[in-house]
Amino acid sequence: MKKIILYIIPILAISLVACEPEEIPFRPQADVFMITKTIENNNQIDTLYGFALHVFANKPMTNVSVSPDNATDVAYSLEAIEGNPYNYYYQTEDNNFTQQLPTIGRYDFDILAETGESESMSDNLSDDFIYPTDTINYEYDTEKKQHVLSWNKIDDASYIIIKLYDTDDELVFNSPNSIDGKKTSYTLSTSSGWLNSRIPETGDQFILELDAYSFEAGQEGVNLQAKSISKDTIVWTE
């Protein structure tokens, strides 16, 4: 599973763990949200749909499974993000995105903690989504000596995360902070955001991924409504 970066919700999960004593009850939070991305197909741009399931809690978990309401023959098994037992996630595999919307409606979560405590809860997936940006540009500003990304505004985006993958599909850069969803540019720093002490060099090729997120109405900072994925290839210039 690719490294998943969700800034807002894991921070809340960490605060739950840090601020509560051992004897507190198990308190998971569950979220389901729509994902969109675009592909070129016969010189046309098609929008594809998937979805994500996310659970975080104040205690380590051992199992999380989810089913759409009344779908007894469908179940999704979530995995710990980077081995973190407080944070479980599932996302539609890249080759399983389709032009059809995923099942809309209630998703039922069954969550088991290491302590043996269990919790059942639900969240609703609506058909609201955000479109990926249709343009991403990368250039090196020789005067300011800055690597600058720019894109067309993503309507209804709450925040944005920038990621770079190398040619082996390994995540090598992640924007250190979330970016305001209203912004349309970002300066890539050579000193922060790079993983495993990676130093980019002229001619290096990267897959740029721009992920935009929107919150559910009235749930800012807690529940996500949608995510869009935009990708492009860039060659590092100096």
Side-chain angles (χ1 to χ4, degrees):
M1 182 173 67
K2 280 186 176 179
K3 188 177 295 243
I4 304 297
I5 305 295
L6 294 170
Y7 279 104
I8 307 300
I9 297 175
I11 291 173
L12 295 176
I14 292 170
S15 68
L16 287 174
V17 176
C19 299
E20 303 287 356
E22 280 295 321
E23 61 270 15
I24 62 162
F26 183 43
R27 290 170 51 201
Q29 296 287 333
D31 198 11
V32 55
F33 54 93
M34 186 82 71
I35 304 178
T36 53
K37 63 180 182 178
T38 54
I39 61 169
E40 185 174 347
N41 183 18
N42 294 325
N43 297 319
Q44 293 185 333
I45 301 300
D46 291 337
T47 301
L48 302 181
Y49 303 93
F51 69 101
L53 302 160
H54 185 210
V55 173
F56 64 91
N58 62 331
K59 294 184 179 182
M61 297 172 283
T62 59
N63 187 69
V64 179
S65 61
V66 184
S67 296
D69 183 33
N70 296 323
T72 57
D73 58 338
V74 178
Y76 301 96
S77 181
L78 281 64
E79 296 182 11
I81 300 176
E82 296 297 300
N84 178 0
Y86 296 90
N87 223 339
Y88 273 64
Y89 190 80
Y90 166 88
Q91 180 172 305
T92 303
E93 294 290 339
D94 285 347
N95 58 359
N96 289 332
F97 275 70
T98 70
Q99 292 181 290
Q100 302 298 316
L101 291 174
T103 301
I104 303 302
R106 195 182 80 196
Y107 282 71
D108 298 319
F109 293 71
D110 290 317
I111 308 161
L112 180 65
E114 284 185 0
T115 58
E117 296 166 277
S118 61
E119 188 72 45
S120 295
M121 53 183 34
S122 63
D123 191 38
N124 290 320
L125 180 66
S126 79
D127 56 4
D128 293 335
F129 58 88
I130 52 177
Y131 280 108
T133 183
D134 58 359
T135 302
I136 303 176
N137 294 312
Y138 161 74
E139 63 179 10
Y140 181 68
D141 187 325
T142 55
E143 182 178 337
K144 296 182 178 180
K145 298 188 183 302
Q146 292 180 337
H147 301 264
V148 181
L149 299 172
S150 60
W151 56 89
N152 287 344
K153 185 176 181 295
I154 302 172
D155 292 336
D156 300 321
S158 300
Y159 70 98
I160 292 169
I161 295 171
I162 301 290
K163 294 181 279 188
L164 294 178
Y165 294 87
D166 65 15
T167 53
D168 293 324
D169 205 29
E170 291 294 323
L171 182 67
V172 295
F173 174 88
N174 187 83
S175 47
N177 300 294
S178 58
I179 303 161
D180 189 304
K182 297 182 179 65
K183 292 191 173 182
T184 57
S185 65
Y186 180 77
T187 300
L188 286 164
S189 170
T190 56
S191 59
S192 62
W194 296 90
L195 307 180
N196 301 319
S197 302
R198 175 68 180 260
I199 300 175
E201 298 180 355
T202 299
D204 284 350
Q205 182 171 295
F206 300 108
I207 300 299
L208 165 67
E209 181 172 320
L210 188 155
D211 294 340
Y213 298 84
S214 65
F215 291 114
E216 291 182 15
Q219 296 291 318
E220 185 163 325
V222 181
N223 286 339
L224 292 172
Q225 171 58 46
K227 170 186 177 182
S228 71
I229 300 173
S230 309
K231 291 187 178 183
D232 202 356
T233 301
I234 66 171
V235 178
W236 195 258
T237 305
E238 199 69 58

